[in-house]
Amino acid sequence: MLSIRRNDQVTGQRALSWMENYSRRQQFRRMAMSLLAEKDDVLSDLGYERRDLFDALNLPLRSDAVRYLEQHRRV
């Protein structure tokens, strides 16, 4: 019986983690889409390139898109 509870706890943690990752990615998607609506010179002033935004949007759900974008930011 204890092993079943542990399995349920692990499954619950995975579901929570997946939901957190999904929520974080949706927030990033909204931010990235607003940035993509800007002109290239505005993006350049902010230190971003359009292709980096697209690359970050296409990362797997487990990857941190914000961290990726910050690592590729041109200052």
Side-chain angles (χ1 to χ4, degrees):
M1 195 58 103
L2 290 177
S3 65
I4 292 173
R5 288 184 184 166
R6 287 182 187 158
N7 288 340
D8 289 343
Q9 289 173 352
V10 170
T11 303
Q13 290 171 353
R14 286 183 188 158
L16 182 61
S17 176
W18 182 87
M19 289 171 39
E20 288 172 347
N21 287 340
Y22 181 78
S23 175
R24 191 176 323 124
R25 183 55 61 93
Q26 290 298 7
Q27 290 173 352
F28 174 77
R29 181 176 293 282
R30 286 190 290 274
M31 186 257 330
M33 295 307 284
S34 66
L35 284 173
L36 287 170
E38 298 294 335
K39 295 180 180 178
D40 287 337
D41 58 337
V42 173
L43 290 177
S44 178
D45 290 344
L46 295 172
Y48 299 114
E49 288 189 17
R50 193 169 301 275
R51 69 173 182 219
D52 292 333
L53 290 168
F54 282 120
D55 289 344
L57 285 170
N58 291 319
L59 288 173
L61 187 60
R62 293 181 191 165
S63 300
D64 188 354
V66 174
R67 182 179 295 160
Y68 173 86
L69 200 57
E70 288 302 315
Q71 289 174 348
H72 290 85
R73 189 171 184 189
R74 277 84 171 148
V75 181

